Amino acid sequence: MSDITFYRLVIADDHPLFRGALREAVSGVFERVEIAEAGSFDQISTLLDRGGDVDLILLDLAMPGVRGFSGLLYLRAQYPSVPVVVVSATDDPTVIRRCMDFGAAGYITKTLGVDVMRQAIVAVLQGALWTPPDVDLSAPADPETSATLARFATLTPQQVRVLMMLSEGLLNKQIAYELSVSEATVKAHVSAILQKLGVESRTQAVIAASKIELGQWPPVAAAQH
């Protein structure tokens, strides 16, 4: 970057060695940069809620506290002004397409060289979208996938968190404790989730949530039973 702008970035990955490697790669791009690290999804939320503007989140899809695309979905809903670049070992074009559909500003595979990673980060900070150049994302999404994406996009950030916790098997009382809200509030969120996803039970909501986990695109058998 040619200017001397001060940037604040968050690297979210549960592997300390990779966080260190990514920190080194990012540090080589900027003259003035502050980099915070998170090893779990809760740590990301803590960093972002602490205050201060964050210019970019580098997010691993597979880390404690998230299931597949749900972490990305939550971050885009809760912090819409903060761009998120997914950094993943997965180079499946379908996964990359889903990340971009859910609002990622970029997608970097962990096999890319340092120079390419740096180019991607700079491009996103300059307002562009970035995906690996050899990945074709031009094919239109199938109608069922588009409908599923649209339904999840209507959930509020808190409803996304509640759905994530339902998927982990937590009861209303446990969810209320984790979110510091009343059980009545959790019940209201669950009712809204069922309505927005077009399902009738918590179990069906969890099945729907499984469709935004890695390896579940396009939606397969679970949607048909």
Side-chain angles (χ1 to χ4, degrees), residues 2-216:
S2 58
D3 60 334
I4 314 182
T5 304
F6 178 76
Y7 291 99
R8 296 184 70 236
L9 280 68
V10 173
I11 296 175
D13 193 294
D14 62 329
H15 296 288
L17 287 177
F18 185 77
R19 286 203 308 271
L22 196 53
R23 170 186 280 274
E24 185 174 342
V26 171
S27 299
V29 181
F30 310 103
E31 290 188 36
R32 301 178 63 222
V33 61
E34 176 184 314
I35 301 173
E37 297 183 19
S40 70
F41 193 77
D42 285 343
Q43 289 178 12
I44 304 175
S45 298
T46 299
L47 286 170
L48 294 175
D49 291 339
R50 190 178 295 166
D53 294 330
V54 171
D55 297 292
L56 183 66
I57 300 171
L58 298 168
L59 174 70
D60 183 13
L61 288 179
M63 62 188 306
V66 296
R67 297 168 68 93
F69 303 101
S70 58
L72 171 61
L73 187 64
Y74 174 79
L75 290 175
R76 294 302 301 135
Q78 179 72 10
Y79 312 99
S81 64
V82 183
V84 179
V85 171
V86 172
V87 184
S88 175
T90 303
D91 59 3
D92 183 342
T94 305
V95 173
I96 299 174
R97 171 67 179 266
R98 295 291 75 78
C99 287
M100 304 308 290
D101 286 341
F102 276 128
Y107 191 102
I108 298 173
T109 57
K110 292 184 176 181
T111 55
L112 291 175
V114 171
D115 288 342
V116 179
M117 286 188 179
R118 288 174 173 172
Q119 291 170 17
I121 292 167
V122 169
V124 170
L125 286 171
Q126 291 177 339
L129 298 177
W130 197 94
T131 56
D134 58 342
V135 176
D136 181 12
L137 302 178
S138 62
D142 66 89
E144 184 179 359
T145 296
S146 297
T148 301
L149 289 168
R151 287 193 293 270
F152 278 104
T154 66
L155 298 178
T156 67
Q158 195 77 322
Q159 288 165 3
V160 174
R161 288 302 298 273
V162 170
L163 181 57
M164 290 163 65
M165 292 177 179
L166 288 176
S167 299
E168 293 170 5
L170 271 63
L171 303 175
N172 285 359
K173 181 178 182 179
Q174 295 169 305
I175 295 173
Y177 175 79
E178 291 291 335
L179 297 180
S180 300
V181 299
S182 68
E183 284 191 63
T185 298
V186 174
K187 289 179 181 177
H189 282 316
V190 172
S191 295
I193 290 167
L194 300 185
Q195 182 178 11
K196 289 181 176 182
L197 297 186
V199 297
E200 298 179 356
S201 70
R202 295 163 65 103
T203 299
Q204 290 176 343
V206 171
I207 292 173
S210 73
K211 298 177 190 174
I212 60 169
E213 295 179 24
L214 297 181
Q216 292 297 315

